[in-house]
Amino acid sequence: MVILFIYFSKEVDSLEIVSVLSAFVLIIWAAIEDLRSYRIPNRLIVAGMITGCVFLLINVLAGNSVNRYLFGALAGFGGMMFLHIIGAVGAGDVKLFLVLGMLLGTEYIVMLMGTSLIMGVVTGVIELCVKKTVPVERGRLGCRMHGFHYAVAVLCGFVVVLIFILCR
């Protein structure tokens, strides 16, 4: 999928291709970790933050504007923080979207949030139907609910966003 993105996106510069590839690797890593333990580890977030900061630094040194990436980080963090406050996603998902926003920019992170929410409903229903969810306690009150692998929904959403970008 990413190879098709590179091949068909002639308008995209090499830095953007590297950032999309980095985001893809981080999302795959997050999905694997989420499937293993229902967690997105901080070492993944730190690796993403380092990658994002290096990417921003290279853009600054190349004379490119980094506003869309900084606003992308804020949009990813802000949108997911709202969902975290209402108990819909975990803190790892919030941090993951902050990093992804830094790598993808405002336009793509907003698309990714929307498609991930839709894919989250789909994967959540599938996991409920095949009884792959695990009861988890959320919040200070110890509210029990079914946990599911949201990073898998993010991966599916990322593929949808890549297809959309390619078909533009």
Side-chain angles (χ1 to χ4, degrees):
M1 181 62 64
V2 175
I3 293 170
L4 288 173
F5 174 75
I6 293 168
Y7 180 75
F8 287 111
S9 56
K10 296 174 182 26
E11 301 169 5
V12 178
D13 65 354
S14 58
L15 284 175
E16 191 167 355
I17 291 171
V18 170
S19 70
V20 169
L21 284 172
S22 300
F24 191 56
V25 168
L26 286 171
I27 294 170
I28 291 171
W29 182 9
I32 291 168
E33 293 287 344
D34 194 18
L35 287 168
R36 286 185 187 156
S37 64
Y38 284 92
R39 294 181 54 87
I40 297 174
N42 284 335
R43 68 182 184 278
L44 182 150
I45 302 302
V46 169
M49 291 295 284
I50 292 169
T51 304
C53 288
V54 167
F55 172 70
L56 290 176
L57 180 64
I58 291 170
N59 266 305
V60 167
L61 293 175
N64 299 330
S65 173
V66 294
N67 289 343
R68 74 181 192 148
Y69 301 106
L70 295 175
F71 286 125
L74 287 173
F77 179 77
M80 295 306 284
M81 181 54 86
F82 171 74
L83 294 175
H84 177 67
I85 289 169
I86 64 172
V89 297
D93 300 313
V94 176
K95 295 180 280 187
L96 178 64
F97 270 84
L98 177 126
V99 169
L100 293 176
M102 187 187 305
L103 291 169
L104 299 174
T106 310
E107 180 184 5
Y108 296 156
I109 198 65
V110 170
M111 285 193 286
L112 181 58
M113 282 191 291
T115 56
S116 295
L117 288 172
I118 294 166
M119 291 299 174
V121 170
V122 172
T123 58
V125 167
I126 291 170
E127 287 187 26
L128 274 172
C129 290
V130 297
K131 305 217 185 291
K132 292 285 184 181
T133 60
V134 174
V136 293
E137 285 191 20
R138 296 283 308 195
R140 292 178 207 100
L141 300 176
C143 182
R144 292 184 60 80
M145 52 186 11
H146 288 281
F148 73 99
H149 305 289
Y150 191 68
V152 174
V154 176
L155 179 59
C156 294
F158 188 77
V159 170
V160 170
V161 169
L162 277 179
I163 290 170
F164 175 79
I165 293 167
L166 289 173
C167 293
R168 269 208 251 190

